[in-house]
Amino acid sequence: MTGLEKHSMTPHATGNPPARASRQQVETGRPKRMGGPPDFDADFRGRLRDLMIWRRDVRRFRREPLPDGALGRLLQLACLAPSVGLSQPWRFVIVDSTARRDAIKQCFKTCNAEALSDQSAERTSLYARLKLEGLDDAPCQVAVFADRSTSQGHGLGRLTMPEMIQYSAVLAVHTLWLAARAEGIGVGWLSILDPARVADILEVPPGWAFIGYFCIGYPKDECDTPALEQEGWEARRPLSEALLYR
Amino acid sequence: MTGLEKHSMTPHATGNPPARASRQQVETGRPKRMGGPPDFDADFRGRLRDLMIWRRDVRRFRREPLPDGALGRLLQLACLAPSVGLSQPWRFVIVDSTARRDAIKQCFKTCNAEALSDQSAERTSLYARLKLEGLDDAPCQVAVFADRSTSQGHGLGRLTMPEMIQYSAVLAVHTLWLAARAEGIGVGWLSILDPARVADILEVPPGWAFIGYFCIGYPKDECDTPALEQEGWEARRPLSEALLYR
């Protein structure tokens, strides 16, 4: 249904120029060594910057499904993210059940009503107009968790900062997000949910920390400005306001 | 000292092909619109995948300084990361003071001794051999925090998941990390530190959550395999072990 099984059969659906990975690479996550590290030139860096500029938190999706293999390819790339102690604590839950999707939607509605009532009087009407999720249209829905109980990594880097497990899962999310954008696929991160309720709906093991619920699909629009900025909710600030020297 | 001031004078030190950003873009973080979104083709996607494969957590640095403007450029790119409610809660503390760097190093030593004693008997000698930081050699050192008290974003997306503020700062870190790798610059994330002690050493405002301490500089080696895998600490697992269907 998600094309993950088919993925391993057709890893190169999007083309196979010389620089692309071999089938072995796709399946093991490791490249063949061919004369050392790749050269990332100024043209690539410029396009990487464009990718970062044009990556959006998407809430308006077209309903068409992703091509076979696309989600699997994105999840494989997500696993290339850094993780504390090489613990790879990210856990992906692909949500296809209509009943579970409906329950997530209900959970959002409840949490969003609370969030609306928590807003100041002067922002309530603007908040109510924002579209904050793409649950009705996104063809793919993936919940991401971080397994706090994993022994992988043997605890390295976690003793004073156990939250590194959650941070590692966030790094996987961002890796997937950028890779998706490079394929023209949009991702929307939904955090207006009750983590305990989501864990219950999806019946995940105890010890998994909820990171976010992700709507994935082709976006209706592409834009270089965040939706919340377009809609007048918030404006971006310059780097200088986020910088200290010590 | 860090080249940040000079950055705004020479934003294009690494070259300026047609696709690169204008000076205005670098300073505002917004591209000019020229016929819609860029086309990310198969060649770019292959190179993006290479970037993810060759991004390492670097602990062995060459001592040479980064070129003028490099750190500023990376921090500007980090600010393109997604953030909950457009809150941009990342805070970057550039640490140049020798006394503060020494105090961070001492903090690491204390925490790492605790971590060593926390390891199982059979892993102690392997743990003791690992090189886990590049504090002596990395020319740039940046601590990253997340400002939990920021009103930017007006609380959107944070009511049920206040940790979204920290996750947003992690997204900025990862953006910087990938952009750095594309310039041949390595980043090492140090989490074997006491967050309260680090906040004290760096005298940051209350309410800032410590995310990590980052060593940044040119790496001594480049490799497509994580150091912890090379050194026999841990091996990567296949995606299938991180996947559930619901």
Side-chain angles (χ1 to χ4, degrees), chain A residues 213-241:
Chain A
Y213 192 88
F214 296 87
C215 293
I216 305 175
Y218 290 107
K220 280 192 172 168
D221 316 291
E222 300 195 279
C223 191
D224 60 1
T225 306
L228 291 176
E229 191 162 300
Q230 295 173 59
E231 290 158 342
W233 181 259
E234 187 52 272
R236 287 174 287 176
R237 316 288 169 89
L239 168 63
S240 57
E241 295 187 15

Side-chain angles (χ1 to χ4, degrees), chain B residues 178-212:
Chain B
L178 291 171
R181 182 61 188 83
E183 296 206 24
I185 296 169
V187 173
W189 183 327
L190 187 51
S191 65
I192 305 173
L193 291 167
D194 171 3
R197 176 77 186 119
V198 173
D200 192 43
I201 292 168
L202 300 179
E203 296 180 86
V204 300
W208 286 19
F210 177 62
I211 301 296

Side-chain angles (χ1 to χ4, degrees), chain A residues 88 96 157 160 191 193 202 246, chain B residues 157 160 191 193 202 237 246:
Chain A
Q88 300 188 299
D96 284 330
T160 58
S191 66
L193 292 168
L202 299 180
R246 290 291 187 261
Chain B
T160 57
S191 65
L193 291 167
L202 300 179
R237 316 287 169 88
R246 289 290 187 263

